[in-house]
Amino acid sequence: MSSWSTADIPDQTGRTFVVTGANSGLGASAARALAAAGADVVLACRSVEKARPIAEEIGARARVEQLDLADLSSVRAFADRIGSLDVLINNAGIMAVPKSRTTDGFEAQFGTNHLGHFALTGLLLPKITARVVTLSSVMHATGVIHFDDLNYERRRYERWTAYGQSKLANLMFALELARRFAAVGDERESLAAHPGYASTNLQFHTENPLTNALMKIGEVVKVGQPADQGALPELYAATSPDAENGLFYGPDGFGGLRGAPTVSGYRPKAADRAVARALWDESEVLTGVTFPV
């Protein structure tokens, strides 16, 4: 696996992928690679205008569908429009933004990164034939699931703490879905991935000048890697016949920040089944979406 690249993606002809946030960064890189391997790709993006140039670049195998993960009515409308698909890649996300709310009143990072994708996966699950891949981050290590105040209604807001909670929730959701598939003998798979430190627009739109500057320094000194490289773990998880249900994939280099995809470790708290079940139950309550598994 240490030298795995887009050249190793098996032929995807006849398969359909939905990639959220495919208008730039990791999502755009993943969509290009999947289409190049023969797949039909749905670019699920909040801004159709921003996604259209990527779809036009890819060609006939790509189409754009509007999806705002910060608005559950948009998530439901998207799920209603989409037909059968093979793989859902929950790629979109926001990072370290100022305190704000989704349309439904959730803290923006938890609401967009986790609850939006949770609802989307649940609504699309009857139509998914093969895999769900959910992007987390090395920042899951900083996360804590605060059941007493998931949406920062009482505690002091700190953008990186909120981001860590959302990324831990992403990972716990992917692992719990994998366990639920296995428990009922469902042959579909749920996998998680992270890009390491990938140089994408996400890093430079935190609305914090100091953070943006530090991210830029990281890019200059080559701590990170280009988006095309950062997308490899999610592509491996989505397409490799060797990828396994319930595993977490990320770069194999120093600190998991760069390199070719490999099985990645995660903090023990991400494997806490009691917390995962509680998070699942609360997510169903908050979104109104229940899973047929």
Side-chain angles (χ1 to χ4, degrees), residues 81-115:
R81 295 195 307 272
I82 298 300
S84 177
L85 65 145
D86 295 282
V87 179
L88 169 63
I89 303 182
N90 290 322
N91 166 87
I94 57 176
M95 182 177 76
V97 298
K99 186 177 181 180
S100 60
R101 299 280 171 191
T102 68
T103 299
D104 303 281
F106 308 129
E107 185 276 314
Q109 297 189 81
F110 184 72
T112 302
N113 296 351
H114 169 60
L115 292 176

Side-chain angles (χ1 to χ4, degrees), residues 99-154:
K99 186 177 181 180
S100 60
R101 299 280 171 191
T102 68
T103 299
D104 303 281
F106 308 129
E107 185 276 314
Q109 297 189 81
F110 184 72
T112 302
N113 296 351
H114 169 60
L115 292 176
H117 280 126
F118 179 91
L120 177 67
T121 304
L123 293 168
L124 287 179
L125 201 59
K127 304 177 182 182
I128 296 170
T129 67
R131 290 179 180 176
V132 177
V133 177
T134 302
L135 257 68
S136 181
S137 164
V138 293
M139 290 293 290
H140 81 273
T142 69
V144 177
I145 307 298
H146 285 276
F147 287 108
D148 60 336
D149 193 16
L150 286 170
N151 285 298
Y152 283 86
E153 294 169 332
R154 294 179 297 279

Side-chain angles (χ1 to χ4, degrees), residues 34-60:
L34 291 167
D40 294 314
V41 186
V42 178
L43 283 62
C45 304
R46 182 173 60 84
S47 171
V48 172
E49 291 304 314
K50 290 182 179 179
R52 187 168 289 123
I54 304 298
E56 292 174 350
E57 173 193 336
I58 293 172

Side-chain angles (χ1 to χ4, degrees), residues 170-180 190 192 246-247 266 270-271:
N170 284 149
L171 179 54
M172 296 188 83
F173 164 60
L175 298 178
E176 178 65 11
L177 180 58
R179 288 190 288 266
R180 294 186 180 218
S190 171
L247 293 187
Y266 48 80

Side-chain angles (χ1 to χ4, degrees), residues 148-217:
D148 60 336
D149 193 16
L150 286 170
N151 285 298
Y152 283 86
E153 294 169 332
R154 294 179 297 279
R155 56 189 165 128
R156 178 178 176 274
Y157 182 78
E158 200 290 311
R159 65 184 72 202
W160 283 108
T161 301
Y163 180 69
Q165 177 181 252
S166 74
K167 291 289 102 179
L168 177 58
N170 284 149
L171 179 54
M172 296 188 83
F173 164 60
L175 298 178
E176 178 65 11
L177 180 58
R179 288 190 288 266
R180 294 186 180 218
F181 279 152
V184 297
D186 193 318
E187 294 185 355
R188 292 177 295 179
E189 298 172 308
S190 171
L191 307 93
H194 75 87
Y197 187 116
S199 300
T200 69
N201 289 338
L202 192 66
Q203 274 82 356
F204 309 119
H205 289 83
T206 67
E207 300 186 39
N208 183 311
L210 178 58
T211 299
N212 293 345
L214 291 173
M215 293 292 182
K216 187 64 177 178
I217 290 170

